[in-house]
């Protein structure tokens, strides 16, 4: 679905690919680091923290 909506060279697609390929236990922290790198140092998402290991999995 992402390939239909985003160009493979877009920052959003590249970030998603990196997070998807990261260790499931580290995905929330990758999201958090990505948010901080764009100026949202205080970004918090309880749902992502709870389900971060599931997000980006190949079975999604």
């Amino acid at each position: 679905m992402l390939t239909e909506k985003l160009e493979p060279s877009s920052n959003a697609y590249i970030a998603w690919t990196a997070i998807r390929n990261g260790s499931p236990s580290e995905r929330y922290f990758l999201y958090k680091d990505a948010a901080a790198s764009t100026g949202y140092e205080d970004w918090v998402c309880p749902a992502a923290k709870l389900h971060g290991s599931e997000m980006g999995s190949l079975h999604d």
Side-chain angles (χ1 to χ4, degrees):
M1 187 161 122
L2 283 180
T3 57
E4 296 171 12
K5 304 281 184 188
L6 298 171
E7 292 293 324
S9 60
S10 71
N11 288 339
Y13 187 87
I14 292 167
W16 177 255
T17 301
I19 290 168
R20 181 189 72 209
N21 290 320
S23 166
S25 64
E26 294 297 316
R27 289 182 187 154
Y28 174 74
F29 301 105
L30 293 171
Y31 283 112
K32 192 156 180 61
D33 288 346
S37 75
T38 61
Y40 295 96
E41 291 84 9
D42 297 327
W43 181 87
V44 177
C45 179
K49 192 168 189 175
L50 183 62
H51 299 288
S53 64
E54 301 165 23
M55 296 187 304
S57 296
L58 295 177
H59 61 78
D60 287 347

